[in-house]
C-alpha cells in the first residue's frame, strides 16, 4: 500500500495526541516541495545512511527495549519514588550513597531544613569532585544552575553537566542539548538530542503508539488548573474507585483501563507491572482484545515477567483476530527480528505491516517506511520511505518523527536542516524515561508537598521542558515562601524569587508559551523582579500577541494610546482593542471602556476628563491596596461581614414590620363585613 502522492506538494503535519494524553502542546511541522529531494537515491544518501545504521537489520528496537526506566536512564530517581525489586537492586553498591544524598535533598525541601540541605549539597559536591560520580556531577551542575546552596554560575553548571554527560548521565545530556539549542548551536544540540531520542524510541511499544505522558500544566493562567488536577489523584480519585468497582464486578473494559493505568503510570497511579499484568490477564479471560495486545507487549519486553516471545506472538495473534489491527505491527516486528518464530521472514513481516497500514494504523506506515529506507526484504526506496514516515507522522506516530529528524540531520530523503532535526529530536527525546520526573512532581504537588514539586519541576526545567518551566515559575509566584526556594545561603527572599520566576517564564515564553510571554511583559511594565522597561514589555506583549492572546493585544493598544514603549498612535490603539475583542468575546466590557477612553482622548484632548482618565492607573493601586490591607484583613473582614449581616437582618425585619402594618391598615373592620340587622 503506497501513501497518496499529493503529499509531495504541500505537507502539513500535526502531532496529534493519543486519547489518553494528559496535556499536550501541539507541534506543527510544515513541509514544502523544496524540503523533499528530487532524487530517490543518490550515492551520497547511501553513504550517509550506511555510515550510521545497518541497512539489513531492524535496529530500532534492540535488546535495550526490555530494560526498565532506571536502566535506560542511569541515575534515575525511580528507586526512590517507585521502588521495586529491580530498581531497589540498582540503588545498592556504588549507587547507594548517591541515592541516600538525593533522599536527603528531597527531605530537606519537603521539611524546609536548610542545615540538611547544606549537608546534602556538601555530600553531592564530594561525590562529584572526589569520587567522580557522573550522577552526582549532574546534580552539582543542577545546584550551580539554580544557585541552590552554591553560587549561581551557568559556567560551572555547564562544566559539571559536561563531565556528567561524558560519564553517561542522560539527564545532563538533555540539559546540555537544551543549552546548545537556545544558543542556536544546532550542530552540537542535534547530536545529543539524536542520542536521547534513540533511547526514548527504545522505550516505546512495538505494536502501537504509547500514550503521550507529558507534564501536566498545574495552572491555567493565574489560577490553579483544578479541572486537570482532579483527574490525577490516583487510587484516591472517585472516578478510579468507581472504575475499580466495575472491574471487580467483571467489567472487561474497566479491567483493561485499570491495567493500562498501572502499566504506564497514568492518572496519578504509580507504575506497577505486576498489577497491570493481573488486570490484563483477567480481562483476556473475558475476550478483551486490547488486553491481549498489551499482554503480547509485556511478554515481548519481559516487563514484570520473564520474557517469552512465543507467548508474545500468541497474544498478538489473538488480538489481531479480534480486528485489533495495531497488533499486526507487533507480529511483523517479531518476524523481522526472528523472535518467537522459526526464522526471520521479511515477506511475512511486510504482509503484516501492510495489513496494519491498510486499516489506517500509523505504525504500519512507519514500519513499511523503515523496510523501504533500509531495503529490508524490499528494494530500497528512500523517497517512498519518506512518504510513509510523513503519513505516520501526520497521525502522531512519534517514531516517524524520529526518522524524519534523522533524514533532516543527514540530508537523506530530505534536505539537510539541523534546526528542524533538533526540534523533532527534542520532541521525541522529551518522551524518554526521564519524563517520569513530571509524574513524581505532580504526585508531590497533589499531596501538598510544594517544595518537592518545585525541585522536581526545576530539574525538568533545566532539561528544557516548557511545561515544567511554567509550573516552577507559577509555584514561585503563587506560593512564595512555601515554594521552599533555596538560594546560595538560605531560603530565597522576595526579590530572588521574582528573579527566578522571571527567568523561568522567559524560558517558557521562548518555547511558545503565550501566558509566559504575557507575564514577562507585565514584569517589565510594572518593574516586578526587574527594572521597568516599556520597550521590552512591548516586545513580550508582541510575542504573546503573535499567538492570538487577547490580553496582550489589549495591552499593546493601551501602550499605543499612551505612548509607552510604543509610538503614540490612536489608530493603532483602536486596531489592537478591536483585535482583542475579535479574539475573545469576554473582553467586551474592558474594550468598550478603552474605546470610550480613546474617543474622549481624540475629541476632548485638552479637557479635565483626559486628566481624570490618566490618573486612574495611579488611583487604582491605592484603592486595591486599601481593600486588601484594610477591608480584606482577616479580623476586619470578619467584622465587616458580621456588620453587613446585621444590617441585612435589620433591613429585612423592618421591611417585614412595614408590610404587616400595611396589611393591618387595609384590613376591613368586623363591622364593615357584618350584614346589618333585620
Amino acid at each position: 500500500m503506497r501513501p497518496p502522492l499529493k503529499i509531495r506538494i504541500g505537507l502539513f503535519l500535526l502531532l496529534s495526541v493519543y486519547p489518553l494524553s494528559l496535556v499536550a502542546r501541539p507541534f506543527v511541522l510544515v513541509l514544502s516541495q523544496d524540503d523533499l529531494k528530487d532524487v530517490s537515491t543518490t550515492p551520497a544518501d547511501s553513504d550517509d545512511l550506511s555510515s550510521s545504521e545497518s541497512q539489513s537489520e531492524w535496529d530500532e528496537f534492540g535488546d535495550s527495549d526490555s530494560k526498565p526506566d532506571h536502566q535506560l536512564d542511569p541515575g534515575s530517581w525511580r528507586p526512590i519514588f517507585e521502588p521495586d525489586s529491580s530498581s531497589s537492586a540498582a540503588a545498592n553498591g556504588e549507587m547507594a550513597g548517591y541515592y541516600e544524598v538525593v533522599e536527603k535533598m528531597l527531605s530537606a525541601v519537603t521539611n524546609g531544613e536548610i542545615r540538611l540541605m547544606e549537608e546534602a549539597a556538601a555530600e553531592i559536591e564530594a561525590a562529584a569532585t572526589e569520587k567522580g560520580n557522573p550522577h552526582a556531577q549532574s546534580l552539582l551542575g543542577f545546584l550551580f544552575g539554580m544557585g541552590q546552596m552554591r553560587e549561581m554560575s551557568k559556567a560551572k553548571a555547564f562544566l559539571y553537566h559536561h563531565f556528567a554527560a561524558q560519564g553517561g548521565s542522560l539527564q545532563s545530556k538533555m540539559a546540555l542539548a537544551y543549552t546548545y539549542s537556545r544558543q542556536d548551536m544546532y550542530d552540537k544540540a542535534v547530536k545529543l538530542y539524536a542520542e536521547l531520542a534513540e533511547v526514548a524510541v527504545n522505550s516505546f511499544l512495538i505494536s502501537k503508539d504509547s500514550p503521550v505522558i507529558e507534564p501536566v500544566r498545574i495552572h491555567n493562567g493565574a489560577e490553579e488548573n483544578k479541572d486537570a488536577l482532579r483527574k490525577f489523584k490516583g487510587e484516591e480519585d472517585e472516578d478510579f474507585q468507581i472504575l475499580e468497582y466495575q472491574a471487580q464486578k467483571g467489567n472487561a473494559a474497566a479491567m483493561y483501563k485499570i491495567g493500562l493505568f498501572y502499566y504506564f503510570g497514568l492518572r496519578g497511579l504509580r507504575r506497577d507491572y505486576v498489577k497491570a499484568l493481573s488486570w490484563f490477564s483477567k480481562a483476556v479471560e473475558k475476550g478483551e482484545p486490547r488486553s491481549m495486545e498489551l499482554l503480547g507487549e509485556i511478554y515481548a519486553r519481559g516487563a514484570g515477567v520473564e520474557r517469552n516471545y512465543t507467548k508474545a506472538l500468541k497474544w498478538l495473534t489473538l488480538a489481531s483476530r479480534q480486528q485489533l489491527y495495531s497488533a499486526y505491527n507487533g507480529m511483523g516486528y517479531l518476524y523481522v527480528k526472528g523472535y518467537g518464530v522459526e526464522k526471520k521472514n521479511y515477506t511475512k513481516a511486510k504482509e503484516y505491516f501492510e495489513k496494519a497500514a491498510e486499516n489506517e494504523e500509523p505504525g504500519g506506515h512507519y514500519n513499511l517506511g523503515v523496510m523501504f529506507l533500509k531495503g529490508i526484504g524490499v528494494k530500497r526506496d528512500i523517497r517512498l520511505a519518506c512518504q510513509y514516515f510523513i503519513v505516520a507522522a501526520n497521525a502522531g506516530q512519534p517514531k516517524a518523527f524520529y526518522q524524519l529528524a534523522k533524514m533532516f540531520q543527514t540530508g537523506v530523503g530530505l534536505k539537510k536542516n539541523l534546526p528542524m532535526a533538533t526540534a523533532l529530536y527534542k520532541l521525541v527525546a522529551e518522551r524518554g524515561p526521564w519524563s517520569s520526573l513530571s509524574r513524581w512532581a505532580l504526585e508531590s504537588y497533589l499531596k501538598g508537598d510544594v517544595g518537592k514539586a518545585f525541585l522536581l519541576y526545576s530539574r525538568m526545567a533545566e532539561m528544557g521542558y516548557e511545561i515544567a518551566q511554567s509550573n516552577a515559575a507559577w509555584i514561585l509566584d503563587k506560593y512564595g515562601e512555601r515554594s521552599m526556594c533555596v538560594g546560595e545561603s538560605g531560603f530565597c527572599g522576595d526579590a530572588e524569587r521574582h528573579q527566578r520566576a522571571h527567568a523561568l517564564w522567559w524560558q517558557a515564553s521562548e518555547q511558545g508559551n503565550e501566558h509566559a510571554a504575557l507575564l514577562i511583559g507585565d514584569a517589565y511594565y510594572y518593574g516586578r523582579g526587574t527594572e521597568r522597561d516599556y520597550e521590552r514589555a512591548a516586545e513580550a506583549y508582541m510575542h504573546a500577541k503573535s499567538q492570538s492572546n487577547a490580553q496582550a493585544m489589549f495591552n499593546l493598544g493601551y501602550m499605543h494610546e499612551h505612548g509607552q514603549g510604543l509610538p503614540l498612535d490612536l489608530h493603532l490603539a483602536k486596531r489592537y482593542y478591536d483585535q482583542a475583542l475579535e479574539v475573545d468575546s469576554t473582553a467586551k466590557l474592558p474594550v468598550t471602556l478603552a474605546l470610550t477612553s480613546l474617543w474622549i482622548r481624540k475629541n476632548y484632548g485638552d479637557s479635565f476628563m483626559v486628566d481624570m482618565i490618566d490618573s486612574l492607573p495611579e488611583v487604582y493601586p491605592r484603592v486595591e491596596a486599601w481593600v486588601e490591607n484594610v477591608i480584606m484583613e482577616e479580623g476586619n473582614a470578619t467584622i465587616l461581614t458580621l456588620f453587613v449581616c446585621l444590617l441585612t437582618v435589620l433591613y429585612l425585619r423592618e421591611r417585614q414590620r412595614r408590610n404587616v402594618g400595611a396589611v393591618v391598615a387595609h384590613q376591613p373592620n368586623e363591622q364593615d363585613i357584618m350584614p346589618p340587622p333585620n
Side-chain angles (χ1 to χ4, degrees):
M1 176 182 175
R2 290 173 177 262
L5 296 179
K6 64 181 180 181
I7 62 174
R8 297 183 181 181
I9 300 174
L11 305 168
F12 295 86
L13 306 183
L14 173 64
L15 178 60
S16 59
V17 181
Y18 191 87
L20 286 172
S21 69
L22 307 184
V23 172
R25 289 177 53 80
F27 183 93
V28 179
L29 169 64
V30 179
L31 300 181
S32 68
Q33 177 66 35
D34 293 336
D35 292 309
L36 298 176
K37 283 193 173 180
D38 199 25
V39 291
S40 58
T41 307
T42 65
D45 288 341
S46 300
D47 293 340
D48 289 340
L49 197 62
S50 60
S51 65
S52 60
E53 55 189 73
S54 169
Q55 298 179 32
S56 60
E57 179 60 30
W58 191 272
D59 60 359
E60 267 58 40
F61 306 97
D63 293 336
S64 62
D65 64 354
S66 64
K67 293 180 181 179
D69 283 359
H70 67 273
Q71 291 182 23
L72 285 173
D73 178 22
S76 166
W77 294 352
R78 189 183 174 199
I80 297 174
F81 287 96
E82 297 179 0
D84 57 25
S85 57
S86 61
S87 63
S88 297
N92 295 324
E94 296 181 359
M95 294 296 289
Y98 165 73
Y99 283 110
E100 286 177 5
V101 73
V102 171
E103 287 189 285
K104 183 178 289 188
M105 181 178 66
L106 293 171
S107 176
V109 295
T110 295
N111 300 312
E113 298 181 18
I114 288 296
R115 182 172 297 180
L116 190 63
M117 192 67 202
E118 290 176 351
E119 293 177 7
E123 292 176 20
I124 289 170
E125 186 166 14
T129 57
E130 298 173 12
K131 299 180 180 179
N133 186 308
H135 309 301
Q137 291 170 343
S138 180
L139 265 183
L140 187 58
F142 170 66
L143 295 181
F144 275 113
M146 288 279 293
Q148 188 164 293
M149 305 312 302
R150 293 293 180 271
E151 61 174 324
M152 184 176 288
S153 172
K154 298 299 181 184
K156 289 183 178 180
F158 179 86
L159 182 66
Y160 281 110
H161 278 309
H162 177 73
F163 290 146
Q166 288 185 327
S169 172
L170 298 186
Q171 295 188 18
S172 279
K173 289 184 180 181
M174 281 287 288
L176 288 176
Y178 175 61
T179 301
Y180 285 135
S181 65
R182 288 190 72 195
Q183 298 173 359
D184 295 338
M185 299 172 67
Y186 297 114
D187 56 332
K188 294 184 177 181
V190 75
K191 293 179 182 178
L192 289 170
Y193 273 133
E195 179 184 346
L196 294 160
E198 184 176 357
V199 175
V201 167
N202 282 335
S203 68
F204 294 166
L205 301 183
I206 62 174
S207 66
K208 62 190 296 182
D209 187 17
S210 306
V212 178
I213 308 175
E214 295 193 14
V216 178
R217 202 177 297 280
I218 61 176
H219 65 98
N220 184 11
E223 301 299 326
E224 187 177 65
N225 194 359
K226 294 181 179 179
D227 290 339
L229 292 176
R230 67 186 179 190
K231 299 178 181 178
F232 302 100
K233 294 182 179 179
E235 295 177 349
E236 298 178 2
D237 181 51
E238 184 178 346
D239 291 340
F240 176 81
Q241 292 172 358
I242 293 173
L243 190 67
E244 188 175 37
Y245 174 78
Q246 292 173 340
Q248 291 170 348
K249 290 295 183 180
N251 187 310
M255 294 175 182
Y256 161 74
K257 287 183 180 179
I258 291 181
L260 196 70
F261 292 166
Y262 279 118
Y263 188 77
F264 291 107
L266 302 175
R267 296 295 184 94
L269 294 172
R270 289 197 172 188
R271 183 176 293 175
D272 191 324
Y273 291 136
V274 176
K275 287 185 178 180
L277 178 63
S278 174
W279 283 113
F280 289 145
S281 299
K282 292 177 181 178
V284 296
E285 292 176 2
K286 296 184 175 294
E288 213 290 317
R290 295 170 296 178
S291 296
M292 296 176 188
E293 181 184 21
L294 282 169
L295 277 179
E297 291 279 352
I298 287 174
Y299 281 111
R301 292 177 174 277
V305 296
E306 185 177 352
R307 183 190 291 178
N308 189 321
Y309 290 119
T310 303
K311 286 188 176 181
L313 182 61
K314 167 194 167 184
W315 287 115
L316 289 169
T317 302
L318 289 173
S320 68
R321 290 174 182 171
Q322 299 288 327
Q323 296 185 331
L324 199 64
Y325 302 115
S326 56
Y328 284 120
N329 292 312
M331 295 166 65
Y333 163 78
L334 294 176
Y335 274 100
V336 167
K337 298 287 283 187
Y339 292 159
V341 295
E342 292 182 4
K343 61 179 181 179
K344 296 179 181 180
N345 190 328
Y346 297 146
T347 302
K348 204 161 191 176
K350 182 172 178 286
E351 290 176 1
Y352 285 134
F353 294 149
E354 285 176 338
K355 285 184 180 180
E358 287 167 2
N359 288 279
E360 299 182 355
E361 168 54 41
H365 291 284
Y366 166 77
N367 291 324
L368 287 171
V370 174
M371 295 192 80
F372 280 102
L373 176 67
K374 299 186 176 183
I376 302 175
V378 296
K379 183 180 179 180
R380 190 159 177 257
D381 189 332
I382 293 178
R383 172 56 66 89
L384 184 58
C386 183
Q387 292 176 7
Y388 276 121
F389 291 145
I390 288 171
V391 173
N394 191 44
Q397 187 18 286
K399 289 176 286 188
F401 276 84
Y402 171 71
Q403 291 292 355
L404 289 172
K406 193 181 296 185
M407 287 181 160
F408 276 121
Q409 180 189 8
T410 60
V412 175
L414 294 169
K415 288 187 178 179
K416 196 168 185 176
N417 187 331
L418 293 186
M420 182 68 76
T422 300
L424 292 174
Y425 276 138
K426 182 177 186 289
L427 187 73
V428 179
E430 287 186 344
R431 296 183 62 176
W434 37 85
S435 65
S436 295
L437 285 165
S438 67
R439 191 166 65 249
W440 304 329
L442 180 63
E443 179 181 311
S444 300
Y445 180 80
L446 291 173
K447 290 181 177 179
D449 194 342
V450 178
K452 185 182 292 183
F454 172 69
L455 180 73
L456 293 169
Y457 281 131
S458 298
R459 176 67 164 169
M460 292 190 74
E462 183 186 44
M463 293 160 60
Y465 285 83
E466 179 275 316
I467 295 180
Q469 294 164 351
S470 173
N471 285 348
W474 185 80
I475 287 176
L476 286 172
D477 286 342
K478 178 72 173 180
Y479 290 94
E481 294 180 357
R482 285 186 58 199
S483 67
M484 298 299 171
C485 171
V486 178
E488 182 177 349
S489 58
F491 288 118
C492 302
D494 290 342
E496 188 171 3
R497 279 196 302 273
H498 281 308
Q499 290 173 356
R500 291 195 182 186
H502 180 84
L504 288 164
W505 284 126
W506 186 264
Q507 292 176 30
S509 70
E510 288 179 342
Q511 300 196 69
N513 186 319
E514 63 178 75
H515 176 68
L518 187 66
L519 289 175
I520 290 295
D522 289 346
Y524 280 120
Y525 187 89
Y526 295 106
R528 296 173 183 166
T530 184
E531 293 185 7
R532 179 174 289 184
D533 189 328
Y534 289 139
E535 291 184 0
R536 298 193 71 174
E539 290 177 4
Y541 289 144
M542 288 294 286
H543 182 60
K545 177 256 180 185
S546 67
Q547 300 175 46
S548 301
N549 185 286
Q551 180 67 59
M553 295 173 183
F554 184 91
N555 293 352
L556 288 169
Y558 183 88
M559 295 179 79
H560 270 300
E561 180 182 353
H562 294 83
Q564 296 176 331
L566 292 171
L568 180 64
D569 191 324
L570 301 186
H571 294 289
L572 272 179
K574 183 179 185 305
R575 182 182 301 176
Y576 279 122
Y577 287 144
D578 290 338
Q579 287 179 358
L581 185 58
E582 290 174 5
V583 171
D584 188 356
S585 59
T586 61
K588 186 173 184 178
L589 178 59
V591 167
T592 301
L593 294 174
L595 291 175
T596 302
S597 168
L598 204 61
W599 183 84
I600 293 174
R601 189 178 301 279
K602 184 177 180 180
N603 294 279
Y604 300 95
D606 298 327
S607 69
F608 76 95
M609 290 188 292
V610 174
D611 296 333
M612 183 180 68
I613 292 172
D614 289 340
S615 67
L616 289 178
E618 298 179 3
V619 174
Y620 174 75
R622 298 174 190 172
V623 175
E624 184 182 37
W626 181 77
V627 171
E628 182 177 352
N629 297 329
V630 179
I631 300 298
M632 297 310 295
E633 195 274 327
E634 185 175 357
N636 293 344
T638 303
I639 294 172
L640 181 62
T641 302
L642 293 174
F643 181 68
V644 171
C645 291
L646 178 61
L647 289 178
T648 303
V649 170
L650 291 175
Y651 168 75
L652 292 175
R653 291 192 63 181
E654 176 64 18
R655 182 178 176 183
Q656 183 182 25
R657 186 185 64 79
R658 291 181 179 179
N659 289 340
V660 171
V663 170
V664 171
H666 292 86
Q667 188 175 4
N669 295 327
E670 188 177 350
Q671 295 178 353
D672 297 332
I673 62 176
M674 289 181 63
N678 294 326

